[in-house]
């Protein structure tokens, strides 16, 4: 049933699974379970298939009436929004982690650059000071 809904993207409502359905001969679970009513709804996220909601009732037939199915479709849409939000949070967390790592690398690179400039400035100033001092002595 789940595979069928995944492919067709259409909900399946089985009023009484004990009466036998088109799915019985291909679904080992249905053959052995005591399910009475079954509802399988597809849900989409951003216009693409995201999964299915599988509900079953082992106590009574006709548990999923039209009104309940309508409500459950709305619930499935809310689930899709929640799944999408979780996905977005995961993406943001990954990007945040990558940015922190990049910032740390930039901080280290900046520290290396500062140390290089300090050393280079010192190495250039020392001989220049000697040359300036020698020139002053020669002028006198």
């Amino acid at each position: 049933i789940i595979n069928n809904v995944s492919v067709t993207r259409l909900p399946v409502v089985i009023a009484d699974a004990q009466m036998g359905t088109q799915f019985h001969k291909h679904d080992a679970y249905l053959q052995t379970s005591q399910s009475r009513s079954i509802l399988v709804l597809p849900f989409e996220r951003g216009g693409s298939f995201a999964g299915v909601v599988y509900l079953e009732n082992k106590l009574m037939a006709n548990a999923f009436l039209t009104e309940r199915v309508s409500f459950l479709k709305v619930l499935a849409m809310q689930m899709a929004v929640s799944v999408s939000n979780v996905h977005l949070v995961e993406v943001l967390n990954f990007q945040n982690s990558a940015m922190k790592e990049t910032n740390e690398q930039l901080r280290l690179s900046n520290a290396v650059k500062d140390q290089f400039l300090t050393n280079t400035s010192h190495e250039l100033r020392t001989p220049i000071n000697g040359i300036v001092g020698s020139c002053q002595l020669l002028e006198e």
Side-chain angles (χ1 to χ4, degrees):
I1 298 173
I2 293 172
N3 288 337
N4 178 277
V5 171
S6 297
V7 171
T8 64
R9 309 289 198 277
L10 298 172
V12 170
V13 178
I14 300 175
D16 192 349
Q18 297 298 312
M19 301 300 289
T21 68
Q22 64 184 15
F23 301 105
H24 266 80
K25 61 182 168 184
H26 302 292
D27 194 325
Y29 176 76
L30 277 182
Q31 294 170 7
T32 59
S33 76
Q34 300 297 315
S35 300
R36 294 293 309 267
S37 299
I38 297 174
L39 170 65
V40 185
L41 290 172
F43 68 92
E44 296 181 347
R45 181 184 67 176
S48 62
F49 179 73
V52 299
V53 176
Y54 177 91
L55 301 171
E56 70 177 44
N57 186 316
K58 293 185 177 190
L59 301 177
M60 65 183 266
N62 297 309
F64 303 110
L65 303 173
T66 305
E67 303 83 39
R68 289 181 185 154
V69 172
S70 296
F71 170 75
L72 292 170
K73 283 181 181 179
V74 171
L75 185 62
M77 288 189 295
Q78 290 299 316
M79 289 173 60
V81 169
S82 296
V83 168
S84 181
N85 288 343
V86 167
H87 176 70
L88 290 174
V89 167
E90 289 173 349
V91 168
L92 287 173
N93 285 340
F94 175 77
Q95 289 175 343
N96 190 29
S97 176
M99 288 175 78
K100 283 181 181 178
E101 186 176 317
T102 300
N103 283 339
E104 181 61 22
Q105 290 173 351
L106 288 171
R107 189 190 64 73
L108 292 174
S109 295
N110 196 36
V112 168
K113 175 204 54 124
D114 288 347
Q115 185 62 43
F116 172 77
L117 289 176
T118 300
N119 291 343
T120 303
S121 174
H122 175 73
E123 294 298 323
L124 288 174
R125 251 184 289 128
T126 302
I128 289 174
N129 286 339
I131 293 170
V132 168
S134 296
C135 288
Q136 287 174 352
L137 284 175
L138 287 174
E139 279 183 354
E140 294 176 2

